[in-house]
Amino acid sequence: MLASTISFRADAQSEYMRGGRMPYDAFDRLPRTDLEVPGGTINVAFAPGDIALPKEKLLDWIRMSARAVTTYYGRFPVNSLRLLLVPVDGARIRGGTTWGYRGAAIRIPFGRDSTEDVCGATG
């Protein structure tokens, strides 16, 4: 039973971490939350998997980050952004990958054991 759970988690993780149509095809299958920011919308999707932080805390972190970008550029740099958070092993954010060929998109591998200190999602 444990082996099948580990295998499932590895398969789910790899499915959302590679592939020629990634992350765009994920948005066809996953529920999303739309965050309005000055000058644009961020469409946030969470790949399957457990995350220690409540999703609302992660959405707060995204809002805070979008405010910083908006302040820096004077507006959000794109009208629409797809943001995919993928749970991975560990307790940290593992960078991110951006795409632009089918619209602005970012995939962020996010440690499922991350705390509020990791993403600054306090408050």
Side-chain angles (χ1 to χ4, degrees):
M1 179 71 176
L2 179 60
S4 66
T5 302
I6 292 169
S7 174
F8 169 76
R9 285 176 61 190
D11 290 344
Q13 179 175 314
S14 64
E15 176 187 354
Y16 289 94
M17 291 301 291
R18 58 190 158 114
R21 292 180 34 104
M22 188 54 57
Y24 299 102
D25 61 348
F27 284 91
D28 295 337
R29 298 181 282 149
L30 295 171
R32 70 179 197 212
T33 301
D34 296 337
L35 301 179
E36 298 298 323
V37 298
T41 302
I42 301 174
N43 310 115
V44 182
F46 294 89
D50 296 329
I51 298 175
L53 283 171
K55 287 186 179 179
E56 193 55 45
K57 288 288 186 182
L58 293 171
L59 293 172
D60 288 345
W61 168 61
I62 294 164
R63 286 183 191 101
M64 180 184 67
S65 300
R67 278 194 302 274
V69 168
T70 300
T71 299
Y72 183 81
Y73 287 106
R75 67 180 290 297
F76 201 70
V78 294
N79 293 332
S80 178
L81 169 69
R82 297 175 190 155
L83 177 62
L84 176 63
L85 292 172
V86 181
V88 295
D89 289 335
R92 62 188 181 99
I93 299 167
R94 306 253 172 103
T97 305
T98 61
W99 289 267
Y101 63 93
R102 286 182 52 207
I106 301 172
R107 180 187 60 212
I108 298 176
F110 190 87
R112 63 178 50 86
D113 299 320
S114 295
T115 64
E116 292 181 20
D117 294 338
V118 170
C119 64
T122 58

